[in-house]
Amino acid sequence: MLSFDITDRAIRIIKGTESGGKIRISSAATLNLEEEGIVNGHVRDVPRLATLINQVLRTNKMPDKEAIVSISSNMMIFKEVHIQKAEKQQDFMKMVRAEMAAALGIDDSYSVSYIVVGDSDQTDGAVKVLATACPFEVVDCYKRVFNMLQINLRSVMIGCNCITKVLLADTKVKSKMPLLAVQIDPNFISLNLYEKGQLSFSRFASISAEDYDDSEDYVFEAVNENIFRMLQFQKSKAGSAPIENVVFYGDTHEYVRLTNELEKMGIRTSIINVPPQIHGYENLEFSSYANAIGAMFKRNKLTEHINLLETDTVNNNRIKSDSSYVLILLLVIAISIAICVIVW
């Protein structure tokens, strides 16, 4: 199995296996991308990206026929919704999509995934759901990339849903909640808030030097600013305990400076730990590959519906319909040609 963590400027690739809740990594590689190759998660040139990925897989001797993908984009929308329980999963999915459409004004051009995090504290007989809406065109471009690679794409999921499995696999993390997990990248910051042993809020923010007066220190400034906003957000929630622990992953070279800054506010920091369920990580920088590794964990199908290839029945059905039309058209053309040939 290949696992890809794809951002606008880099692709982290893991080759490994998952069995009995344990992951064994056999190899890893990184593909750095040219600017504008991927913009907000959307692939600008599908054949070009497929060629680059193929070259990396060949160079690093990582052949495989199946893959899973983790993606990041500020085009994704996160929303907490409260949905009435339903006997059929299909009916529940329809209610989640309808609630997202009503709350955010999205239409069928978005793929919707969700995680059930517990009973609702607002509505009787309902559950609290963390839902995510992602433009279908973003999902579809990766389907086309892996179709060109002739690799079976089994899953497309959003980065925040990948890192959760890695974090919660560490039993010590549960004693540090509320906990803020911060992924640092020169182009974005991803923040995930965990409370009571589960993900409770996610936020993704694109960043650039232009947003900070072209400062060479813009990443450090952006991380501090976004963490401060999350601390204020948590304080504003009635009955919520304050955040006292922050875990960093991704590009952590500014870890010491960030630690010194956050200690002034009484915040303890750490770099993401490698849980005991993961093996073969010794020769790679775990913090950078955490999303790709986390994507390989199996999911609880009763509460986690995060595979955008499975949850997006609206667009998938439309594609099947369109594909059927093309097949019928080709069949009609073939029959017409055959009749002409026979008559001739």
Side-chain angles (χ1 to χ4, degrees):
M1 172 70 70
L2 294 171
S3 180
F4 294 76
D5 177 26
I6 302 178
T7 67
D8 284 7
R9 296 304 300 274
I11 300 178
R12 311 282 185 184
I13 310 170
I14 289 289
K15 180 176 172 62
T17 57
E18 192 279 341
S19 179
K22 297 182 179 180
I23 293 174
R24 181 165 294 279
I25 301 166
S26 57
S27 56
T30 295
L31 169 60
N32 292 314
L33 302 173
E34 62 266 29
E35 192 172 353
E36 301 296 320
I38 300 178
V39 179
N40 284 331
H42 189 276
V43 180
R44 289 294 182 88
D45 189 336
V46 169
R48 169 68 173 163
L49 183 62
T51 300
L52 293 173
I53 291 175
N54 185 56
Q55 290 173 349
V56 171
L57 295 179
R58 286 179 175 275
T59 300
N60 292 275
K61 298 180 180 179
M62 301 170 71
D64 209 295
K65 291 298 182 181
E66 292 185 321
I68 50 181
V69 169
S70 162
I71 58 177
S72 300
S73 169
N74 64 7
M75 297 174 68
M76 298 168 189
I77 308 171
F78 302 93
K79 179 71 176 175
E80 177 185 300
V81 294
H82 297 260
I83 307 296
Q84 289 293 327
K85 297 176 182 177
E87 292 185 4
K88 295 182 179 180
Q89 178 183 323
Q90 186 176 2
D91 293 336
F92 190 81
M93 181 71 241
K94 289 179 179 178
M95 288 191 287
V96 172
R97 178 178 281 277
E99 183 66 25
M100 290 289 280
L104 303 173
I106 63 172
D107 55 22
D108 289 344
S109 65
Y110 280 79
S111 303
V112 176
S113 63
Y114 67 90
I115 298 175
V116 178
V117 296
D119 290 333
S120 171
D121 56 0
Q122 298 182 11
T123 308
D124 292 336
V127 291
K128 183 167 72 172
V129 174
L130 291 182
T132 309
C134 174
F136 176 72
E137 61 179 2
V138 173
V139 180
D140 186 57
C141 65
Y142 293 106
K143 293 172 69 173
R144 289 187 283 124
V145 167
F146 284 87
N147 184 54
M148 293 191 70
L149 289 167
Q150 296 185 323
I151 296 176
N152 179 27
L153 185 56
R154 287 181 48 185
S155 176
V156 176
M157 63 188 80
I158 296 169
C160 65
N161 293 324
C162 300
I163 199 62
T164 295
K165 282 291 185 180
V166 177
L167 281 169
L168 299 185
D170 184 355
T171 55
K172 296 179 181 179
V173 165
K174 295 180 180 179
S175 65
K176 298 180 179 180
M177 296 188 182
L179 171 77
L180 182 63
V182 181
Q183 180 183 6
I184 305 173
D185 184 273
N187 298 286
F188 69 86
I189 299 170
S190 178
L191 304 101
N192 297 315
L193 177 62
Y194 295 87
E195 298 177 278
K196 300 178 182 179
Q198 61 194 16
L199 178 66
S200 65
F201 182 81
S202 290
R203 184 172 182 270
F204 181 94
S206 294
I207 61 172
S208 68
E210 294 177 359
D211 299 327
Y212 296 88
D213 298 324
D214 293 319
S215 169
E216 294 182 358
D217 211 21
Y218 77 95
V219 175
F220 177 78
E221 295 175 30
V223 173
N224 273 320
E225 178 183 331
N226 280 275
I227 290 177
F228 180 76
R229 288 179 180 176
M230 286 297 295
L231 296 177
Q232 297 305 308
F233 167 76
Q234 182 68 359
K235 287 181 179 179
S236 68
K237 292 165 57 181
S240 297
I243 298 170
E244 295 182 350
N245 292 280
V246 173
V247 173
F248 292 109
Y249 64 105
D251 183 354
T252 58
H253 78 274
E254 292 282 17
Y255 172 70
V256 174
R257 288 181 66 199
L258 289 168
T259 296
N260 293 336
E261 195 68 23
L262 291 174
E263 281 181 348
K264 298 175 184 177
M265 296 182 283
I267 306 296
R268 294 182 292 271
T269 65
S270 61
I271 293 177
I272 192 168
N273 288 325
V274 183
Q277 296 92 329
I278 298 174
H279 306 275
Y281 62 88
E282 293 80 7
N283 295 324
L284 58 85
E285 187 178 348
F286 179 80
S287 178
S288 296
Y289 290 89
N291 273 344
I293 295 170
M296 299 184 71
F297 279 102
K298 287 185 177 179
R299 305 290 158 170
N300 182 349
K301 293 184 179 181
L302 296 176
T303 59
E304 297 177 279
H305 298 272
I306 59 176
N307 183 355
L308 293 168
L309 300 180
E310 295 178 351
T311 60
D312 188 6
T313 54
V314 175
N315 286 296
N316 285 334
N317 287 340
R318 183 180 295 124
I319 289 174
K320 290 178 182 177
S321 176
D322 292 344
S323 299
S324 299
Y325 170 78
V326 173
L327 290 174
I328 293 171
L329 179 62
L330 291 175
L331 181 62
V332 170
I333 293 174
I335 293 173
S336 300
I337 293 174
I339 292 173
C340 292
V341 171
I342 291 172
V343 172
W344 175 260

